[in-house]
Amino acid sequence: MRIVTISESTETFFNKTVTAFDPAKPVDLSGSKVYRLSLDYDDERKMSDLLEEFLGRADKSKLDALVIGMWGEPYESSADDVIAALVAHAPELPALRALFIGDMTYEECEISWINQGDYTPLLKAYPKLEVLRIRGAQELSLQPVTHAALRSLTIESGGLPAEVAEALASCSLPALEHLELWLGSEGYGFSGDVELYQRVVSALAVPSLRYLGLRDAEISDELAQWLAGDELLGRLDTLDLSLGTLGDAGAQALLDSAHVRSLRRLDLTHHYISEKLQEQLKALPLEVVLDDAQEEDDGDRYVAVGE
């Protein structure tokens, strides 16, 4: 079994270069950089303290994106304090359009250990937010919300709880263009089934949606079999089923689909597809990504990112 780990901090976000916040240097928001705030294990400050220091040095009226890394000991403390601090500063941050909360490598905190929080107040406090990226799903929660501006939602996890998916199925995101969910495996918190994700996609597949990623899923074959027969594929640019356990059953369903040829890109990276079907997929009139072929381990398949 080979598990992919998140070994490097994010380098680009919101089409900007991620730069670590250094209190000894001026904060420059005029260029193409986005600042990353992160604490060390032994730092006695809270992330809210670091955020206060950063905002005290920044032109708050121009801050359009922010990356939050490790908040001390994220395997013990949740992101609720981080979220509360951001909510408190919302009136001062009229330009904020993009947030990534949880940018951590496996050396800082394994993805399945990251304690997240309740994102309902954050979405309500920032009605103009366009991009929200979350890493980690332990203690992650969300109440059904309507958000008119959100264009991109990404939740990266080693196991996405059904409760989060249920909430998403009751949300209204009319501007959504990019929906990316890492489902993960049951051993690290995944619960749910294809029927649940049918409801999620039915709720969020608005006319503007162009990218659908149901990634890192141990039910990849079942997802592919459902999606292969769904007219939604005819409206998407990209279907991303990478990092999961897709095998011949799902691959054959995609090959037989009446809609898959309307895609521009089909990403199946990290898969268990036979060479014969790989060749057939490569012959489709679109970009098909089949990197990182896997072999079953005594009949078992594994998602790429778990712990």
Side-chain angles (χ1 to χ4, degrees), residues 26-298:
V27 174
D28 180 10
L29 299 177
S30 62
S32 59
K33 66 174 64 172
V34 55
Y35 283 92
R36 178 179 185 267
L37 278 58
S38 186
L39 296 174
D40 295 326
Y41 288 112
D42 56 356
D43 201 313
E44 295 182 355
R45 296 174 298 175
K46 294 182 178 180
M47 178 57 74
S48 55
D49 298 329
L50 187 61
L51 180 64
E52 291 286 348
E53 184 173 6
F54 171 74
L55 292 178
R57 297 168 178 265
D59 183 343
K60 292 186 284 292
S61 67
K62 293 182 179 179
L63 182 67
D64 62 354
L66 187 63
V67 175
I68 302 294
M70 192 170 68
W71 47 85
E73 297 180 340
Y75 49 85
E76 292 185 351
S77 60
S78 76
D80 280 328
D81 287 345
V82 179
I83 293 169
L86 288 167
V87 168
H89 283 285
E92 307 167 63
L93 303 175
L96 192 64
R97 296 293 181 269
L99 275 170
F100 178 11
I101 301 181
D103 181 29
M104 304 176 208
T105 68
Y106 76 96
E107 291 182 333
E108 292 172 313
C109 188
E110 298 283 6
I111 191 169
S112 65
W113 299 0
I114 300 173
N115 287 307
Q116 274 290 346
D118 182 2
Y119 279 78
T120 311
L122 186 142
L123 287 168
K124 290 181 177 180
Y126 290 93
K128 295 183 180 180
L129 192 70
E130 297 177 4
V131 177
L132 177 60
R133 182 176 171 187
I134 300 165
R135 180 172 294 162
Q138 188 159 280
E139 296 189 25
L140 175 65
S141 64
L142 175 70
Q143 299 301 314
V145 295
T146 296
H147 197 289
L150 199 67
R151 295 186 295 104
S152 177
L153 174 63
T154 299
I155 302 176
E156 304 172 358
S157 79
L160 192 63
E163 294 80 7
V164 176
E166 291 282 3
L168 290 172
S170 297
C171 287
S172 176
L173 306 176
L176 199 63
E177 300 172 6
H178 180 112
L179 176 62
E180 181 178 347
L181 305 174
W182 295 24
L183 279 60
S185 64
E186 185 177 357
Y188 292 104
F190 169 72
S191 57
D193 53 22
V194 172
E195 187 274 334
L196 173 56
Y197 283 91
Q198 287 175 333
R199 290 192 283 114
V200 171
V201 172
S202 177
L204 301 183
V206 293
S208 56
L209 191 72
R210 292 294 175 266
Y211 170 101
L212 175 62
L214 298 176
R215 308 181 69 195
D216 199 48
E218 62 183 8
I219 57 169
S220 295
D221 275 332
E222 294 93 329
L223 293 170
Q225 289 169 325
W226 148 51
L227 288 165
D230 197 307
E231 293 182 357
L232 168 65
L233 290 192
R235 307 200 309 267
L236 295 175
D237 288 337
T238 299
L239 175 63
D240 189 345
L241 298 175
S242 65
L243 307 182
T245 60
L246 191 75
D248 281 6
Q252 189 64 60
L254 292 169
L255 284 166
D256 294 341
S257 170
H259 312 294
V260 76
R261 287 164 178 78
S262 298
L263 293 169
R264 293 183 181 179
R265 191 170 194 267
L266 176 62
D267 193 339
L268 306 178
T269 300
H270 187 279
H271 61 84
Y272 293 81
I273 303 170
S274 66
E275 291 186 5
K276 178 182 177 181
L277 290 191
Q278 286 185 58
E279 291 304 314
Q280 294 180 39
L281 286 165
K282 291 175 183 178
L284 289 172
L286 60 139
E287 181 186 1
V288 181
V289 185
L290 287 161
D291 297 340
D292 201 14
Q294 302 290 305
E295 293 185 3
E296 293 187 1
D297 183 359
D298 293 328

